[in-house]
Amino acid sequence: MEQQSEKLRFILHCAIFAAITAIMAQIEIPLPLVPISGQTLAVGITATILGSRKGAVAMVCYAAIGAIGLPVFAGFSGGPQVLVGPTGGYIFGFIAAAFVTGYILEKSRFTVSMAMIANTVGMVITLLFGTIQLKYVVELTWSEALAAGVYPFIIVGLIKAFLASWIGITVRNRLVQANVNITSSKNAA
């Protein structure tokens, strides 16, 4: 019975954070090739609260929901064409970023300063995945890909990394204080 309860809790946590990411994806500032959106903030908050395993699974759920056509990606878009399009690499990067961000926190401490480091690493991972796919899909040079897929996002990304760290640690600490079990036995922090 305890194992079923833990599985249900795992599924619910992942579903809730996939939904939060879908909602935050609709907050966007349009740019020529890649918009600035709330997705990356949601990824950081998710990983900071849930850790590596649940955070990555939540992002897999988010990508899968969008892949089947539900309009959960930025600009109320969805479908497999988004994942193979110019911005799809960022979405794949969310999965890796959530895992690495959560992993860094699990192996260190869940503090705002460590979360800032972890979320900054996560931001770099997302930008790396996104820029590589952008370069090849749009057939850009590396300097053009960096100009379109990295440079416009550095300052905003650092602000989001700070917000994700502060919000994530604050919420995580409150959940722990309220005895809400946000970790599983395989994801203890």
Side-chain angles (χ1 to χ4, degrees):
M1 187 65 169
E2 177 61 34
Q3 189 176 21
Q4 284 180 325
S5 177
E6 190 168 319
K7 284 182 184 179
L8 179 60
R9 189 172 26 254
F10 186 97
I11 291 167
L12 287 173
H13 289 162
C14 293
I16 288 166
F17 281 89
I20 289 169
T21 306
I23 292 165
M24 292 184 71
Q26 307 322 313
I27 301 167
E28 70 174 342
I29 300 168
L31 292 178
L33 286 175
V34 182
I36 294 173
S37 77
Q39 289 168 302
T40 51
L41 177 57
V43 172
I45 291 170
T46 298
T48 302
I49 294 171
L50 297 182
S52 62
R53 189 165 166 248
K54 279 186 184 176
V57 171
M59 291 306 111
V60 168
C61 291
Y62 171 70
I65 292 166
I68 62 170
L70 292 177
V72 297
F73 299 141
F76 291 103
S77 62
Q81 73 280 1
V82 176
L83 294 177
V84 297
T87 60
Y90 296 95
I91 297 167
F92 291 116
F94 296 163
I95 299 165
F99 182 82
V100 171
T101 300
Y103 185 80
I104 290 169
L105 288 167
E106 290 165 0
K107 294 301 178 188
S108 58
R109 295 181 59 219
F110 282 84
T111 63
V112 173
S113 58
M114 281 310 301
M116 183 65 190
I117 292 168
N119 276 290
T120 301
V121 171
M123 174 191 74
V124 170
I125 290 168
T126 299
L127 292 175
L128 177 67
F129 274 69
T131 302
I132 291 170
Q133 185 162 327
L134 179 66
K135 180 210 181 312
Y136 289 106
V137 170
V138 183
E139 298 179 4
L140 301 173
T141 65
W142 280 111
S143 60
E144 291 169 333
L146 291 170
V150 174
Y151 302 148
F153 305 102
I154 294 173
I155 299 298
V156 173
L158 290 171
I159 292 168
K160 287 187 208 177
F162 170 75
L163 289 172
S165 301
W166 179 66
I167 293 167
I169 294 297
T170 300
V171 170
R172 188 177 203 289
N173 287 342
R174 298 239 169 99
L175 290 170
V176 169
Q177 289 171 353
N179 290 321
V180 175
N181 185 359
I182 54 173
T183 61
S184 65
S185 58
K186 293 181 182 177
N187 191 19

